């Protein structure tokens, strides 16, 4: 038996080596199907065309140039999939993995479900990256979903396949458009990789397009976020807008924020999430008081709005991270475990609300 195994390895190893050294054909991903863009136009790998919104702060402008939540959809029969891509920023974030920040995350549909296939690991320094994503597959046609970096701008992306293999654009696999505006939690700061944000996971689970407009630390019910929502096509909106503002900002801005959106979307369902109970307030009494105050302001503000608009929903708690204090990376940002717990309670509630509007 050992001799047979040895002979089989001897036969397979040259073929495997040949596959590893096979010529690679690169295709510009901008010519394939890009899903989860908030608005048409603008650069291929940006969520919105920031030139339309000169009122954005410099920080939000930079964030909205990021490819957060975007994915490239394609079909290929290649045994191997590689990528080479160019990012813009050079410094990694303190609480993000390199793969989440500027790497790639591939899923392949198998038996009707999206299954993790591999990651494109970026260089630790510099802005030029090239890496294998998955290798040694069979030659059946595969439907691929490649998530782009969460915390960097993509200047160019090419997908590499075996020379002679087929690579073609595939249709958008997601139905409906759920636009999500929010904080770093929505942005996916501490997800391990781009496909692990709660918006991406909701998309794969429900089969809906969840458009990620998270803007880390910046989403404070500003008028420009309401304008972006008003000018964005959506079947429903999901808002994580109580994580960043103070209680005073919620009191002052919430009604105007909703009013501006309702000018363009008079009956579209607006689903607001109560923010998490932050672990950073476990012993820091100042932080605890600040967080308690803003959650209470959100609760009171939403109660008032719900009295007059039957198409607005408030999910409270909206970000349930459990009670063992182990689901964040820094007391604020959920890890993959935190997102898992959050989705366990959030997914059925969102599903029930959306079904009321025929979104299923």
């Amino acid at each position: 038996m050992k001799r047979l195994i040895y002979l089989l390895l001897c036969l397979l190893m040259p073929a495997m080596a040949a596959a590893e050294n096979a010529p690679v054909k690169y295709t510009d991903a901008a010519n394939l199907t890009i899903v989860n863009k908030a608005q048409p136009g603008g650069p291929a790998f940006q969520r919105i065309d920031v030139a339309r919104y000169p009122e954005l702060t410099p920080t939000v402008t930079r964030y909205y140039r990021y490819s957060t939540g975007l994915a490239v959809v394609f079909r290929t029969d290649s045994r191997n999939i590689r990528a080479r891509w160019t990012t813009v920023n050079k410094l990694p974030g303190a609480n993000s993995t390199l793969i989440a920040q500027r790497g790639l995350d591939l899923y392949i549909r198998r038996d009707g479900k999206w299954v993790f296939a591999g990651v494109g690991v970026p260089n630790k320094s510099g802005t030029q990256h090239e890496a294998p994503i998955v290798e040694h597959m069979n030659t059946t046609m595969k439907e691929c979903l490649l998530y782009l970096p969460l915390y960097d701008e993509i200047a160019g992306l090419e997908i590499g396949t075996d020379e002679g293999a087929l690579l073609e654009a595939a249709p958008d696999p997601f139905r409906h458009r759920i636009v999500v505006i929010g904080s770093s939690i929505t942005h996916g700061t501490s997800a391990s990789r781009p496909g692990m944000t709660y918006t991406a996971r909701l998309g794969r689970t429900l089969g809906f397009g969840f458009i990620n407009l998270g803007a880390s630390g910046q989403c404070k019910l500003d008028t420009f976020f309401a304008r972006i929502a008003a000018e964005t096509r959506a079947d429903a909106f999901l808002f994580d807008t109580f994580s960043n503002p103070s209680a005073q900002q919620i009191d002052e801005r919430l009604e105007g924020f909703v009013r501006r959106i309702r000018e363009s979307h008079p009956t579209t369902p607006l689903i607001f999430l109560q923010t998490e109970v932050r672990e950073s307030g476990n012993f820091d009494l100042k932080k605890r008081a600040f967080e308690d105050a803003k959650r209470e302001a959100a609760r009171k503000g939403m109660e008032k709005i719900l009295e007059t608009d039957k198409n607005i929903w408030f999910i409270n708690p909206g970000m349930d991270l459990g009670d063992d204090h182990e689901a964040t990376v820094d007391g604020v940002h959920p890890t993959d475990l935190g997102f898992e717990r959050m989705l366990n309670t959030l997914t059925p509630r969102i599903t029930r609300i959306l079904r009321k509007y025929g979104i299923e």
Side-chain angles (χ1 to χ4, degrees), residues 96-110:
S96 296
T97 69
L98 264 178
I99 290 172
Q101 185 189 12
R102 54 189 180 189
L104 305 172
D105 190 3
L106 178 67
Y107 283 74
I108 296 175
R109 201 198 292 265
R110 184 173 68 190

Side-chain angles (χ1 to χ4, degrees), residues 15 59 86-87 92 102 120 125 156 207 252 255 258 326 341 352 355:
T59 301
T86 303
T87 55
R102 54 189 180 189
S125 61
E252 294 172 349
E255 289 188 52
V258 172
E326 301 289 357
R341 292 175 175 176
R352 285 195 295 270
R355 281 177 178 169

Side-chain angles (χ1 to χ4, degrees), residues 63-324:
Y63 284 161
Y64 276 177
R65 288 195 179 109
Y66 291 175
S67 55
T68 312
L70 301 187
V72 181
V73 185
F74 58 94
R75 298 173 70 244
T76 184
D77 58 1
S78 181
R79 289 182 178 273
N80 306 287
I81 299 176
R82 300 181 59 87
R84 58 188 184 194
W85 67 105
T86 303
T87 55
V88 174
N89 300 296
K90 296 182 179 180
L91 297 177
N95 50 9
S96 296
T97 69
L98 264 178
I99 290 172
Q101 185 189 12
R102 54 189 180 189
L104 305 172
D105 190 3
L106 178 67
Y107 283 74
I108 296 175
R109 201 198 292 265
R110 184 173 68 190
D111 299 327
K113 294 183 178 181
W114 291 109
V115 178
F116 170 75
V119 294
V121 180
N123 292 326
K124 293 181 179 179
S125 61
T127 59
Q128 301 295 321
H129 316 280
E130 183 171 359
I133 299 177
V134 59
E135 299 174 305
H136 311 303
M137 297 186 290
N138 61 35
T139 56
T140 60
M141 188 61 70
K142 294 166 281 288
E143 184 180 5
C144 301
L145 177 67
L146 182 66
Y147 288 98
L148 306 187
L150 297 179
Y151 272 85
D152 214 330
E153 180 180 348
I154 294 289
L157 168 64
E158 294 176 299
I159 296 173
T161 52
D162 299 339
E163 193 173 74
L166 177 67
L167 174 67
E168 62 184 16
D172 187 340
F174 300 118
R175 60 193 185 278
H176 306 298
R177 285 173 55 85
I178 316 300
V179 175
V180 191
I181 293 178
S183 69
S184 54
I185 297 172
T186 295
H187 201 141
T189 293
S190 296
S192 60
R193 45 189 171 83
M196 292 298 284
T197 65
Y198 80 86
T199 55
R201 293 184 62 184
L202 279 169
R204 293 195 303 276
T205 298
L206 300 180
F208 302 161
F210 277 83
I211 288 82
N212 189 328
L213 286 178
S216 286
Q218 308 301 304
C219 190
K220 301 178 180 180
L221 294 165
D222 308 83
T223 302
F224 53 74
F225 286 115
R227 181 192 164 197
I228 290 171
E231 296 178 1
T232 300
R233 181 175 65 84
D235 297 303
F237 288 93
L238 182 62
F239 295 102
D240 155 34
T241 47
F242 300 131
S243 296
N244 294 151
S246 65
Q248 181 179 349
Q249 288 171 323
I250 293 171
D251 289 338
E252 294 172 349
R253 300 178 180 183
L254 179 57
E255 289 188 52
F257 182 84
V258 172
R259 190 181 311 115
R260 176 67 180 88
I261 295 170
R262 280 294 184 232
E263 291 174 3
S264 300
H265 301 281
T267 60
T268 302
L270 311 181
I271 306 170
F272 286 82
L273 303 180
Q274 176 65 289
T275 190
E276 66 181 14
V277 177
R278 295 192 179 189
E279 299 293 341
S280 58
N282 286 342
F283 296 97
D284 188 321
L285 300 182
K286 182 178 179 180
K287 288 181 179 178
R288 185 189 304 178
F290 180 84
E291 293 298 318
D292 287 348
K294 74 181 186 185
R295 284 197 306 275
E296 181 63 11
R299 184 188 66 79
K300 288 183 177 179
M302 290 306 302
E303 281 185 355
K304 183 177 180 181
I305 288 173
L306 293 175
E307 291 175 357
T308 59
D309 194 323
K310 65 180 181 180
N311 293 312
I312 293 182
W313 305 82
F314 183 46
I315 300 180
N316 184 17
M319 300 178 178
D320 187 355
L321 304 184
D323 56 9
D324 61 0

